[in-house]
Every structure is written in C-alpha cells, then in structure tokens.
Amino acid sequence: MSTNKALLNGGMDVKRENGGPNHFSAHGTTVHEKNDDKGCCGCTCLQKISNSIVGGLEKSFYRLGKLVARNPWKTIFACMLVCGIAGVGLMRWHEETEYVKVWLPRGSRMYEEDLWVKENFPERIRYEAVIVEDENVLSPQTLNAMYDIFKTAQNFKSDDDATLDNLCIKAGPICRVNSILELWGYNESVIRSLTEESIYGTVNQDVIQSPLYRNVMDLDKILGGVQRDNESRITGARATTFFWFLKRNESSRAAAESWEKQLINLINDVGHKHIDKLYIYTARTFDDEAMGALSSDVNVLTVGFSLVYLYLAFTMGKYSCIEQKIFLAMSGLLSIGMAIIFTYGVGLGTGIMFGPIHQITPFMLLGIGVDDMFVIVESLRQLTPKERQLPVQERIGLTLKHAGVSITVTSVTDIVAFGIGGSTVIPSLSTFCLYAAIGVLALYILQATFFVACVTLDEKRIDSKRNACIMCYKHDDNYKPGKYYSFSLQYAFMRNIWGPLLTKIPVKVIVILAAFAMTGVNIWSFIRIKHDFDPSMYLPKDSYSQKYVEADRNYFPNDGAFVQMYCGKLDYNQNFDRLFELYHLIKDKPSVQSTTVDFWLASFVKWQNETSNVAISHAMTNLSQDISVVPYQQDWLSQLMQFLMTKDGRVYLRNIKFDNVTSPTKITGSVLTFRHVKCTTSICNIKAMDDMRDLVDGYSLPGGGTCFVYSNPQYMFNETNKVLKLELYRNLALAAVCVFVVTLILIANFWTSLLVFFCVVCTVIDVAGTMQFWDISVDTASSVLLILCFGLAVDYSAHIGHSFMTHTGNKNERTRKTLVSMGPAVFSGGFSTFLAFLLLVNSISYGFTLFFRIFTSVVIFGLFHGLVFLPVILSLIGPEPYNTNFLSETDKLEAKYLEAADIAINVHNSDMGDIQMTELHPLKKTANGSIKDDSLFWKEFDSALPGNNYDQCNSLPNSQGVLDIAVNNEHNPRYSGSYYEQMSNGSLVQIPFPEPHVPYTKTDNV
C-alpha cells in the first residue's frame, strides 16, 4: 500500500478482509478475525501458530483495554493496593555486603572453609594503614615527623572517651604498631637524637629483629623506593609504612570507627610540615568512600529522572493546551516507581538476597518502562480518524490491542532471559536476574493496566476539552490550537528523511559494510578483554583511598595476597615432621614470598633449640627420626604454653587454638601464614591459588587430619573469577536462545525472528567489545550489565521486526512504513533511557561510571541495529507480511508509485475541520531508468468549513507526484476524493479516500 494512504489515516493501513467491513490497526496491523479454513490453506504451520497467538493476544488485549477503560479508577486503586501490599516486604530490608554471600559461587569449597575459619579463628583485627612519602624517609627529620604522628595518634580518644590503649591489639603490655620506628622501640629520646649515620647503621644490619616484638623485620616490606649503593647498602627510601591493629568486635566498633575518623583527619587534613605526602586506608574507608560515592550519584540520578520526565511530557503530547500530557507522563513514571516497590517488596519479602549490584534495578526498569509507554501512546496517536470517533472504551481497547503484542514480545523475552539467568551459580548475579524478572513482569502488568487506566482518564479529559495543566478549566468549542500543534519532529524525520534515505541502494551497502566491520572489530576486542575483579576500582577516583592504593602499588609492588594455611584436629604427635616438611615446601614455592612464611611450629623448634630442651627439640628437628616415641601429653603442651608466653611466642597466641584455655589437653586448630608473589592478572592469581591447593590438599597427614589454604578476600575473588568467564558465556548463550525462541513464538515468523536475533546478538557483541575500549574488564558487575544488555537490546529490534510484519507493499515501502510507525517510539525509548543516566558521565563512583559506559553503548548500538541495520536488512531480504490471504485485492498488488493526475478534496459535515498540509514528491527517473521520489512541494490550507471544496489539480507541477495528506484527527472531518496509484504492470488504479462507513474498494483501471 502506498505512503499517502497510511499518512492520510494517521499512519494507518486500511484493509478489507474478504469483502467484509473495514478493520484498522496501529502500525498497520491487520486485525485477524475468524475466517473460513480455506483462507489459511496455504499457511505454514508457523503461520497458523502466528494467527493463533497474535489473534489471541490481540483479542485478549482488546478486552483488557475495554475492561480497564470502563473502570479506570478501580484499576488504579487495585494496582496501588497490590503494590502497597507487596511493599510490606520492604520492612525486611537488608542489603547483604558479605562477599561470601554476595559473590562466592554456589558449591565452592570456600563456603565450608570460611565457616570453619569463622568458628575457630574469627577475624579480630581492624587494620589501619598509612604510607609516608618524602624525598628520603630515612632522614632524621622525617623519622621525627613520623614519631609526631605516632604520638598524636596514641593520644586520640573516641566519642565515648576510649583510648587507643583500650582499642588496640596488644603485644604484651603495649599496642602493636608496625613501622620503621620499631627499630628504635618507639623511644622518643632515642628517635629525637638519631643521626643519618646511626640510622643507616641500623637499617643495614645483616639480620634486623624488632626489639619490641622479636620478629625478623624485612625492610623490603617496610620501605618503598629503596636506593642502594654498589655494595647493596641502603642509602635512602622514598616511602615507608605505619600499621595500627585494633580489636574487631561489635562492642568496640563505634569507638574504633571514631578513632579511625580522627586518624583520617590527621593524615588528610592536618598532615605534617616535614612530610611531603601522606596516604591512609582504614577499616572504615571502603564503606565511607564507595558507599558515599554511590549516595552522591543517586542524587544525580534523581536529576536524570527529572530530565526523563521533561522529555516524556514534551514528546508524548501535542503543542496544545488540551493535548499536552504532562500528567500522563507523570503517571507513567509513577507506574515504574510502583513496579520498583513491587519488585523490592516481593524479593525481600520472599527472602531473595539483596546486594549492592541490585541498586541498578530501577534504571533497568526505567529503560524498559519508558519504551512500553511510548509504544502505547504511539498506538493511541496512530488510530484512524474513524477510530478516533469511537467511544473512549473502544479507543483504549484498540490501542491496547495494537500495542499489547509489541510489549508482550519484549517483556516475555526479558522475563524468560532473566529467569534463565537466575540459575547461575554466582549469588548476586542469580538474585539480580530474579529481581529483574519480577520487575519486568510487574512493569508489564502495570503498563497494561495502571498506565492504560491513566491514558483513559487523559482521553476523557481531552474529549471534554479540559486544560492539560489546570484540569478544572474547560475550553470552549471555539478553541483552536496553533498551526503546528501536531507537528512531530521525529515523525517528520522518519517519514521525510530517514525512511527514504535507508531505502537507497548506496546507503544500504554502506550500512551493511559498516555493521559487519563494527561487529568484526568488537569481536576481536572482546577476545582481548581482561577477565579480572579488582575491588579497588569501586573506590572513587581522586579520593584519598584511591590515592593510597596507587601509592601502595607504586612503592610496594611485590606485596601479594595474604594467605593462611589452617589445620584442624591433627595428631600433632605423629605429624610434627610432616608439618615441618610442608612448611619448607611452601617456602620453596615460586608463587610464595619465602621470607613471609611464618609458622608457629618453626618458631617453637627454634626456641627449643635455643633453650636446649633436647628431648623435644631433637625429636622435632630430626625429620628422619620416628618421632612417634615422643609423647603427645600435658608435659609437651606445657612447653608450648611456656613458649607462647615468651616475647618470641606471644605473637602466635592467635594462631593456635586449644580445646581448653586454662588447662589444654590438645590443639584443635593452628595457622601458618604467608604472602604470595604479587600478581597483576586474575589468571596469575588463580594459578597461584590452585598450585597451593594442589600442594596442601595432596599432602598426606597420618591420623586423618587435613589442612587447607585460605585467603579472604583474594581466594574468594579467585573463586569468582574462575567461574565468571564460563558463567558469563553460559548466561549469554541461554539468554540468546531465549530471545530467539520467544521472538519466534510471538513474532511467529522464522526469518524475521532470526534477523531480530542476529541484531540483538550483534548489539551485545558490540557492547562487549566496546568495554575494552572503555578500559572495562569482565568482572561481576560488568557481567551483570552484559546480561542486562539482552533485555534492553531486544526492545530496539523486536518492535521493528514485529512492525515490519504488519505492513503491506514492497519491502522498501514496508520498511519506510515501519520506521514511520515504530521508529519514533523506539528512538524515544532509547533516548529517554540515555537521559536518565546522562549526568553520570563524570561520576566519581566506578560502579556508576561502569553503568553509564555500558548503558550508553547499549543505547547507541541498540538504536543503530534497530533503526539502521535491521530496516536495511528487512528492505532487502525481509519476509512477506502476516496473512496476505486476508488482504484486499488492492493491497495484494505491488503498488510502487503514485501519479496525482487529478485530485479533489471535499470537506463536509464538520463543524470545523483542518486539512493541515499536503506534500508532493514528484516522480523523477534516474540514469538507470528507475524512479525515485524527492520532496519538492509543500502546501498548507486554511481551516476548511463544511461544504468547501479544494481542487488541487492545478497546484501540482506536471500533475505527477506522490501526495501525502495529513488530517487533523481531533475534529475528524468527513472528506472525500481520490488519487491514482500506478501498479507494477504500469496501469493506474483510481483509489477513493476512505470515508467513515464507506468500504475501501478497488476501482476500475483508467
């Protein structure tokens, strides 16, 4: 069917089925009513399924629309009541932040290991770290300045007057603080009298032992940017560290955080005039910095939502005091808010875990919800003049019938894809998909009920000519909107520029080449992308915590993960030699820093040798001897307890657990600690972890005892990264299958579904490949957003694919009609989603920066494939439309060109009717003999009163061209006239303009 027929009826195709009455449908959809069997004798099985599904959905939505329109207030109240009841679940609000419960894959061995560690060796330390940077931190001036900081920190009091002495972990009678000042025992008089000679004499000793804690000090771990002479003697250093150790328990948490806050202020705000730079990271830093950044960006997103509202209010209505839709736009956002409440309420009420990544759910629902809103409003806008004359109930029924199938295709696809994603083994990703599935379902129902009820009320307001802003004010019958009140820039652009442009052969070639080139580059890019999770990325850029991380990596690049080897109930009498041998094997591992391996058993043996306790030391050091003769009894344990009370042994009190503290009879648990060599990639970290596990797990210990290596959080990160790549590919593959199956069922055309599926996959590939150019690695958060891409990408392509199947004519004509009828809604859905997070472009939070970058990519590539690539492909190899057996004889002909040889337009039986404009596209032959159209002529009319006739024959250059006529739908004038349509066989068919109650029929050839 030709373009002007669609535009004459507000973008509608008018079809007659087997000589029956006319049926009208938005986006050119034919209403499939019951027909005789021979109408489908040529249908394939899939076409029969199509007729059944699409017809059933349209009838269901039509009835739902009428039901809602008859009871709009009851519908609104019922929706609010249900969402309110679901919102009760918000009373169980709890955001889970513990890594084990949020990110550790289900079935991981670390669940049991972490539980054992918490029961036997619970974390009791809060670490406070400071890096001191100066031209030379070993100068007397800098060391004195460091002592000033140490002394000031010692005198801090918390809000409840707790001192550091009350809060710290002690080594004997003093608080444990590790720094270079240990070498002088934190003795003020000694430190104040230091000279360069005495300093370098101390730091260049062969073996350096802490006079306070008796442990051997490795200055390479304490000093950074070390300078040495030709004899490898230290001559200076650019950085050094402070470490405070506070008790970790709930009773002292508030006091500890208060002390930490004072230390942060001292380092960041006060500083010291003799120290160039100071960096700090405390136990409260991550929560303060990361969560604070999220809170500030949430405020920015509120402004983004306001931008979305303004865009909705501007584009959903017309430039008229009556037909503006500011309150309808507000009700649309309210429906999204209700869906968010329902989602969180049901999820929390049923015990589904809520984690940090779930905070992006509202923005996902906003993108999908706004898209559905535009589809519904666009369907209402494109009702024919005849349909606009119907009662409100009928109008709403027809609107929802037309829009319902489109939003069903995208919503069901999203729900199924997210539901499948809920089966992943990563808890946060799994529960996010469940929340997303619940949210899309709630949004789907609310858009079809609550929002449609609000549309009904808005239509009633328009019918009664009430003002869009002040609804109590009613305009009189003489009110006339401005000349361009119904002008739509997006509609005009799609109709006059974009549609004709994309159907030109050179443009098609360029688009196809560009699309495949872009996808090829992004496949290459995604193959090279890093798979890594670095929690420091979530710290705000330019924050004091991020500066500390950068300084730590710069000056102490070799500090790898801190690891513990835990042993449970062992027969230590039988396993002394085996444990001692395992200690040496660990030290010899290339992935382990040998100087960091610390085991109480080795220190105990050394102490025994030094104290000449031959009976025990000989048995424990002579590994070749059968030490089973050494009794494992109270006498031996008393020796160990004696060692633990010495300066050398006191530090191991927290590394050994006895069955009884006062009079122990056996050891129930013990710990060996070490650090890995620094790894810069997740692959390296995973290999180091697996090597250690292979060693310890495969090491036999007589008596059935076991040991395991454990690192929180590094091994947990490794466990997640180990399965993340596989889980990402698995979920993307399952989502892709779901997209294809659901679109195939609902679009019910294999070829169209395949093309939509291809565009969705290309969109996701382009987004994934672009991540590398954005400097984004594949981690847990980016994986969630990639899964989310499928849900958003479907919306852009599925609407276009479904709309194409509902239009008639040749492929180019159907492509142009599709862009005109669905293009504005698709573009508005994508652009409004982009507006919501536009202000996050300069976010200080990595999480929201990641969100902005990936979602920006989704919108760009989604719109490209939905509004550029897919229309071009459909114009070349698109399938035939739905149910061609039901189309009129004229629609079956290939109507390619029009000749406006003699056109008369008559307006009658109307109190006031506006024929707003006509537009001529003259037919011009190209060099190869084909015919192309180009806009050349524009004609505006004054108001047409009843009985006035307009003869346009003399106004058309050479009496040839394609005539587009737009009629003011508000006043629904009766009109008559005809035009000539040139068929593929060269003949002209005279086509009358359809009038209300006048069948659309084919006339004789002339």
Side-chain angles (χ1 to χ4, degrees), residues 455 741 762 916:
V455 172
V741 172
C762 286
Q916 294 175 302

Side-chain angles (χ1 to χ4, degrees), residues 468 550 669 702:
E550 292 172 0

Side-chain angles (χ1 to χ4, degrees), residues 202-262:
T202 302
V203 300
N204 283 300
Q205 298 177 73
D206 292 336
V207 178
I208 302 175
Q209 188 175 44
S210 170
L212 292 177
Y213 314 124
R214 306 296 295 173
N215 60 291
V216 176
M217 298 177 64
D218 185 356
L219 294 188
D220 288 334
K221 309 302 177 189
I222 300 173
L223 299 174
V226 176
Q227 301 155 12
R228 298 179 183 271
D229 59 18
N230 294 334
E231 298 178 356
S232 297
R233 291 174 56 85
I234 297 174
T235 59
R238 289 280 295 156
T240 188
T241 58
F242 264 122
F243 284 99
W244 284 265
F245 304 91
L246 273 58
K247 299 173 186 175
R248 180 185 291 271
N249 54 60
E250 285 301 317
S251 61
S252 63
R253 178 177 178 177
E257 289 182 345
S258 174
W259 187 91
E260 290 166 355
K261 185 175 181 180
Q262 295 178 71

Side-chain angles (χ1 to χ4, degrees), residues 99 102-106 108 110 425-427 529-538 679-687 689-690 693 713-729 777-783:
Y99 190 93
V102 176
W103 298 114
L104 192 63
R106 297 189 185 96
S108 169
M110 289 201 71
V425 297
I426 300 177
I529 199 170
K530 295 186 298 182
H531 292 75
D532 198 11
F533 175 67
D534 181 4
S536 68
M537 295 187 299
Y538 290 86
C679 284
T680 58
T681 66
S682 60
I683 296 176
C684 174
N685 279 313
I686 292 171
K687 185 178 185 304
M689 177 186 73
D690 288 344
R693 283 180 171 177
Q714 187 58 61
Y715 278 13
M716 293 185 179
F717 296 161
N718 295 346
E719 286 280 295
T720 304
N721 285 325
K722 198 172 182 179
V723 302
L724 184 60
K725 184 176 181 180
L726 180 62
E727 284 296 302
L728 174 62
Y729 291 160
S777 60
V778 174
D779 60 10
T780 46
S782 60
S783 296

Side-chain angles (χ1 to χ4, degrees), residues 977-993:
S978 62
Y979 62 89
Y980 288 91
E981 184 169 347
Q982 183 179 8
M983 302 303 171
S984 58
N985 59 9
S987 64
L988 294 178
V989 177
Q990 185 180 12
I991 308 295
F993 292 124

Side-chain angles (χ1 to χ4, degrees), residues 12 84 296 301 433 518 664 690 732 736 741 930:
M12 317 304 295
S296 64
L301 281 169
C433 288
M518 186 167 58
D690 288 344
L732 288 177
V741 172
S930 63

